[in-house]
Amino acid sequence: MRVGSKLEIPNGFMHLAKDLSYYFVKNNAATKTVWLVYFRKRRDEWLAELVLIKRGDFESALLSKKITEASEVSTLPPSLKRWEGLDLVAADGARLNAKRSNLALAESRLLAIRPLLDRLPEILNAQRPQALINKIATDAGQTPRRLNYWFFTYLCFGQSVLALYPAYAEVGHWDRAIRFGEVPYGRRHSSLGRNEGIRITE
């Protein structure tokens, strides 16, 4: 199984939830564990969560089809789902009046995770990989959760700089109907107050 293989757990298995998509990272013979990662959105931020499972349990679940490899192959992380199949570089080049290209931002993220990539063999053989990743990130003056997300998206999606593109395509595309209340969305009016206006519905 290759790094980044997407896994399906249709009925859940042990501590793996059925509603999440997991991606294979490492089958570690030294620690007898298999590393999986899943990606989730918390408010406006995407996070990567590393999950360890005993190697024997994982291989048993594969044989019994409790865990299966998905036929769908994603080239981009969930944060960029809207862009799947499109030419990101061409779309970036078509942006007018951009102060900084998305490609330049993605390359700066690649540079930020370089300390992790330089120590990849050490990380992949660590007894406590998440603790080591967090320490390397902190020592580099970076936010651990952000570097953690970039690191795992880079590993799981072809080790391509495109996996590190900013997810600006998702901005504004949330379901306003799921948030209850009467306070209008957006910034408060500077002179009329927070409750001025109404929420616009369909």
Side-chain angles (χ1 to χ4, degrees):
M1 189 175 291
R2 63 180 178 77
V3 175
S5 292
K6 186 177 180 179
L7 303 175
E8 294 177 343
I9 299 113
N11 297 303
F13 179 72
M14 299 182 71
H15 55 287
L16 305 179
K18 67 175 184 177
D19 297 325
L20 294 176
S21 294
Y22 294 88
Y23 297 84
F24 177 82
V25 178
K26 168 81 173 175
N27 189 338
N28 194 321
T31 61
K32 293 183 171 57
T33 56
V34 171
W35 299 11
L36 307 177
V37 68
Y38 68 92
F39 304 99
R40 67 182 179 95
K41 192 172 186 181
R42 185 183 67 183
R43 295 188 292 275
D44 297 328
E45 181 179 30
W46 280 91
L47 303 173
E49 304 285 356
L50 183 63
V51 179
L52 307 185
I53 183 171
K54 290 181 180 177
R55 189 181 187 187
D57 292 334
F58 179 77
E59 291 174 351
S60 173
L62 284 177
L63 290 173
S64 62
K65 305 294 186 186
K66 291 177 181 175
I67 297 176
T68 58
E69 190 170 351
S71 55
E72 166 196 355
V73 177
S74 301
T75 60
L76 295 173
S79 60
L80 297 171
K81 190 174 182 179
R82 287 177 181 270
W83 291 96
E84 190 72 49
L86 300 178
D87 187 338
L88 284 175
V89 176
D92 194 26
R95 293 168 64 225
L96 301 175
N97 302 320
K99 292 182 179 178
R100 187 180 188 189
S101 73
N102 287 333
L103 181 59
L105 183 53
E107 288 171 342
S108 72
R109 292 176 175 182
L110 180 58
L111 188 62
I113 63 171
R114 178 56 54 193
L116 295 173
L117 299 176
D118 288 343
R119 296 175 65 177
L120 185 58
E122 181 185 354
I123 292 170
L124 292 179
N125 289 295
Q127 291 284 346
R128 298 176 60 224
Q130 194 64 75
L132 179 56
I133 290 169
N134 291 347
K135 183 180 185 307
I136 294 171
T138 302
D139 290 347
Q142 297 285 347
T143 305
R145 67 178 184 281
R146 190 174 299 145
L147 228 63
N148 188 65
Y149 176 73
W150 295 340
F151 175 65
F152 282 114
T153 52
Y154 181 76
L155 287 184
C156 291
F157 296 95
Q159 297 191 23
S160 166
V161 70
L162 299 183
L164 300 175
Y165 256 54
Y168 297 145
E170 294 295 318
V171 172
H173 293 280
W174 53 278
D175 185 1
R176 287 154 177 80
I178 64 174
R179 291 196 187 176
F180 300 100
E182 297 178 356
V183 176
Y185 295 119
R187 294 178 61 187
R188 69 185 60 188
H189 197 284
S190 59
S191 60
L192 299 180
R194 180 70 184 97
N195 296 322
E196 184 274 334
I198 60 170
R199 287 194 182 188
I200 304 300
T201 65
E202 290 184 9

